[in-house]
Amino acid sequence: MPDLDLTLDRARLDALRHGAVVVETRPAVFRVTGSGALTCLQGLLTSDLLAPGDGALLYGAMLTPKGAIVTDAWVFRRGDVVTLVVPCEGRVAAVEIFGRTLPPRLARAADLTGEVQVAWLLGDRGFQVLAKSGIGAPEGAGRIHELGSGDGSVTVALAPETAPFAACLVGPASALEPLVSRLVAAGARPGDEGDHQAARILAGWPALGAEIDGRTLPQEVRYDEIGGVSYTKGCYTGQETVARLHFRGHPNRELRGLWWRSGEPAANGGSRSVLSGEREVGSVRSRLVVDGRAIGLAVLRREVDPGTEVIAGGRRATVVALPFRGDELDG
């Protein structure tokens, strides 16, 4: 599960907002191949794999038949080969879904977890650092290209505008490490999982095991805003619920930001309830504290609009729209 309570010093926050940070992680990674790989995954994921064409980077999720998110995934499309980067918390569920739904004669999913790693390039200067490194970049946002070939190849991707990272590199550790060294030499600061989670909180991006639980529908956690769902691609598992909510209704809960103007919310083990007056209207899911100032992500009743004053973590906070403006943690 992602760390729900993070504390950064000012220098690390400034690097995330105004510099470049590179973080190496070991998520679950799957490679789906076969003549029917694209067609099969098109029927499993909320995002449209076909419309962007070859060489696309997409974000989406696999759902239950009732529309709840099972796991989210970053999807890299190269020809008939599709690579999915899935949170570790979603690995078991992804294995089960692939085993149950992919016809072996059309599509096969290889679990590359532990063999393939990901380096995330974070921060406003991430693209400049990538360019300076000489590694090379795809033609535009939401696109990928390959370095090398065979088992030692590395996929380089530029993120869509809403993503919590600037670029990412996916490949085996032996091929990835020299490229990470080049990013550091070009000006990126080596970071860790705390930086990775802080970046997604600042971007208002949900995480499996935190903002996303076993009951979460895509529209409850900003999938419309972050480009995680298509309403034009046709059928996929859970599509009926998602489409009905989009065209005929609205979610009862929504992901919102919290801003504690003074003082910190309760630390680990404290209450996560959000109260509006005497009424409990949601819960805090993730918090980021810098020099005693704090922001967080909460899943709240939709009627709790931005600007509403609430009690969250035992202290007064303001509900804000996402993503954060960027100055909430400044003194």
Side-chain angles (χ1 to χ4, degrees):
M1 178 178 290
D3 191 349
L4 300 177
D5 295 288
L6 302 168
T7 300
L8 296 186
D9 59 34
R10 180 63 56 178
R12 289 176 67 184
L13 176 67
D14 288 344
L16 283 173
R17 294 198 302 185
H18 309 303
V21 179
V22 61
V23 176
E24 297 178 74
T25 67
R26 297 172 177 264
V29 180
F30 298 90
R31 187 156 294 154
V32 183
T33 59
S35 61
L38 281 172
T39 301
C40 291
L41 290 175
Q42 184 80 337
L44 287 178
L45 289 156
T46 56
S47 48
D48 191 341
L49 277 68
L50 300 181
D54 190 20
L57 170 67
L58 306 154
Y59 178 77
M62 291 183 279
L63 309 180
T64 68
K66 293 186 177 181
I69 297 173
V70 176
T71 184
D72 59 330
W74 284 100
V75 184
F76 303 73
R77 177 186 167 186
R78 174 62 72 190
D80 289 332
V81 178
V82 182
T83 301
L84 296 94
V85 173
V86 172
C88 289
E89 296 82 2
R91 180 186 180 188
V92 172
V95 169
E96 191 277 329
I97 289 173
F98 292 146
R100 174 168 47 84
T101 63
L102 297 183
R105 63 185 180 83
L106 297 177
R108 297 168 300 278
D111 188 350
L112 305 181
T113 305
E115 302 174 30
V116 173
Q117 301 180 21
V118 182
W120 308 91
L121 190 56
L122 315 172
D124 289 347
R125 295 194 67 252
F127 177 76
Q128 290 91 326
V129 166
L130 180 63
K132 184 179 178 181
S133 73
I135 290 173
E139 61 190 31
R143 307 302 297 176
I144 69 174
H145 78 161
E146 299 290 325
L147 297 177
S149 60
D151 293 339
S153 67
V154 172
T155 301
V156 182
L158 287 183
E161 183 178 349
T162 57
F165 59 94
C168 67
L169 293 78
V170 182
S174 59
L176 208 57
E177 288 302 330
L179 301 179
V180 170
S181 296
R182 290 172 65 175
L183 292 172
V184 172
R189 181 183 68 79
D192 59 21
E193 184 60 21
D195 297 287
H196 192 204
Q197 293 297 330
R200 66 107 186 154
I201 292 173
L202 290 165
W205 202 276
L208 188 66
E211 291 73 34
I212 300 172
D213 59 32
R215 301 180 298 116
T216 304
L217 303 175
Q219 293 100 326
E220 294 178 327
V221 284
R222 305 187 65 236
Y223 267 48
D224 285 347
E225 292 85 353
I226 63 180
V229 60
S230 169
Y231 296 106
T232 60
K233 60 172 280 186
C235 294
Y236 56 89
T237 301
Q239 181 263 348
E240 183 178 354
T241 299
V242 172
R244 183 169 61 248
L245 190 62
H246 176 72
F247 291 109
R248 300 182 183 178
H250 54 73
N252 293 324
R253 308 183 300 166
E254 293 184 358
L255 182 62
R256 299 278 169 79
L258 292 175
W259 176 25
W260 288 267
R261 293 174 181 268
S262 62
E264 298 181 24
N268 282 338
S271 171
R272 294 190 177 276
S273 295
V274 178
L275 303 177
S276 179
E278 299 295 322
R279 183 187 179 201
E280 184 172 339
V281 293
S283 60
V284 183
R285 302 299 180 92
S286 299
R287 297 185 280 223
L288 172 61
V289 180
V290 178
D291 293 345
R293 302 178 68 86
I295 58 174
L297 300 178
V299 177
L300 304 176
R301 296 286 305 178
R302 69 181 298 270
E303 61 267 23
V304 184
D305 294 323
T308 303
E309 297 290 325
V310 296
I311 300 297
R315 292 187 179 274
R316 187 172 299 278
T318 302
V319 178
V320 299
L322 294 170
F324 291 100
R325 297 192 311 267
D327 60 354
E328 290 89 353
L329 293 170
D330 293 337

